[in-house]
Amino acid sequence: MADYGHELRFGIFVPPEAARGRSLLRLIQRADATAGLEVLAVQDHPYQPAFLDTWTLLSYVAAMTRTLTLMPAVANLPLRPPAVLARSAASLDLLSGGRVELGVGAGAFWDAIEAMGGQRRTPGQALTALREAMGVMRALWGEGRPNLEGEYYSLRGAKAGPAPAHRIGIWLGVYGPRALRMTGELADGWLGGFSYAPPDLLAGLMSAIDTGAREAGRVPALIRRAYIIDASMPVAQLTEVALAHGISEFLLPVDPDGEGATMRFAVETAPAVRAAVAAARVA
C-alpha cells in the first residue's frame, strides 16, 4: 500500500436528524464558510422515521451553500432506484455548479428496508444489483449503453440526460472482498469508516481494491479513498492513514450541535495533517 498523492480533503459526516434540523442547517452553513472543509456527507437511512430524507436535505442545502461538495454517505440502493437516483444526482449537480458526488451502498438492515417496500437481497444479489445500478447511472449520464438488461435493473430505450455539470464520482460504501474488488474494477472511490474498518484493517481492504483495479486494467491510484474517522484519532494517526493506505478524504462524524468539534477539525486538525503529509511527500 502507498500514498497515491491525491490532494487531501476534509469534511463532516452528519445524521439528518429531523428534530434538530435547524441546528443542522446552521452547522452546515458554518462549515461551508470555513476554510479547510470541502465535503458534506449525509447518512442515508430512508427507513429511519427520526431522519429527514437525505436527498431532500442535500437539495435544500445546495441552495444555501457555495463551496461544499455534497454527497449521500451512502445512498440506500434498495430504496432508491438507480435510474431516478441518476436523474436526481445530475439535476442537483447542475443546480449546484458541479458539487455532487454519489456515495452508494448495496443495502443493510434488511428488515427495515423490506418494511419500506424494498426487496430483501442476499449478499450476492445485493452485489449484482450494485453492479447493474452503476451501469444504469453511467448510461443515463451519457457514459454507457442506453439499453441494459439486468437481473435487478434494466434500461429499455431510456434517453440519457440531463448531463451533469461534471463527471459525478460513484463511491461505494462496501467492505466485503468481492465488493472491494468491484470497487477497484468499476468505481471512482471507496467510502468507509472507522466503525467497520479500524486502521489495522485498512491494508487488507485497500489491497483488495487495488487487486480489483489491476485485474480490470485500471491504475489503483484512480480510485480515491474516503474515511469516516473516529473523533479521537490524533494527527499522527491520520497522517499515517493517508501515507500508508492512500486515504485522501477524512470525514469527521458530528451531530447537529457539533459546531465546536467541526471548527477544531477545520482550523487545527486539517491543517496539521495537510502539513505533515506535504512534508513527508517532499522528504
Side-chain angles (χ1 to χ4, degrees):
M1 296 308 303
D3 169 28
Y4 290 121
H6 294 297
E7 179 184 357
L8 300 187
R9 304 201 326 157
F10 295 81
I12 56 175
F13 171 68
V14 300
E17 295 181 25
R20 294 195 283 176
R22 291 299 162 189
S23 295
L24 179 59
L25 293 177
R26 286 193 295 271
L27 173 67
I28 292 170
Q29 284 183 305
R30 184 69 188 275
D32 185 62
T34 301
L37 295 180
E38 295 91 3
V39 182
L40 169 68
V42 181
Q43 296 180 26
D44 186 39
H45 299 285
Y47 39 75
Q48 171 54 267
F51 281 3
L52 299 166
D53 172 69
T54 293
W55 204 261
T56 304
L57 175 63
L58 288 172
S59 300
Y60 188 92
V61 163
M64 54 182 282
T65 58
R66 293 293 178 267
T67 64
L68 291 173
T69 292
L70 311 171
M71 68 187 305
V74 285
N76 189 293
L77 183 60
L79 292 175
R80 297 194 183 275
V84 177
L85 186 58
R87 299 265 201 243
S88 299
S91 299
L92 190 57
D93 195 57
L94 285 166
L95 295 170
S96 67
R99 291 192 287 126
V100 171
E101 294 287 288
L102 189 57
V104 183
F109 307 106
W110 292 104
D111 288 346
I113 289 171
E114 202 170 39
M116 288 283 289
Q119 182 184 41
R120 184 182 293 270
R121 294 168 181 162
T122 66
Q125 291 170 336
L127 193 60
T128 297
L130 184 58
R131 175 183 291 273
E132 292 176 1
M134 284 192 282
V136 166
M137 292 188 287
R138 290 290 183 211
L140 291 178
W141 293 335
E143 300 178 28
R145 295 184 295 112
N147 291 287
L148 301 170
E149 197 64 44
E151 183 177 354
Y152 298 95
Y153 304 115
S154 300
L155 292 178
R156 300 184 181 94
K159 305 298 183 183
H166 84 302
R167 187 180 186 277
I168 296 173
I170 297 177
W171 301 64
L172 299 188
V174 296
Y175 298 94
R178 288 187 299 162
L180 290 165
R181 289 195 298 273
M182 190 172 77
T183 301
E185 176 192 355
L186 296 173
D188 300 288
W190 174 78
L191 199 164
F194 181 95
S195 297
Y196 295 98
D200 62 321
L201 296 183
L202 285 175
L205 301 182
M206 298 304 99
S207 178
I209 292 173
D210 290 354
T211 296
R214 294 190 185 98
E215 289 175 348
R218 301 179 76 198
V219 177
L222 290 175
I223 298 94
R224 292 184 64 103
R225 296 105 200 281
Y227 193 54
I228 301 165
I229 69 171
D230 183 88
S232 66
M233 292 176 71
V235 168
Q237 189 175 25
L238 296 176
T239 301
E240 180 183 3
V241 164
L243 295 172
H245 304 303
I247 303 294
S248 59
E249 303 208 7
F250 296 92
L251 302 173
L252 177 72
V254 290
D255 65 29
D257 296 317
E259 185 173 320
T262 298
M263 292 305 103
R264 287 191 296 274
F265 187 62
V267 303
E268 297 175 11
T269 304
V273 175
R274 291 185 207 272
V277 170
R281 285 174 173 173
V282 300

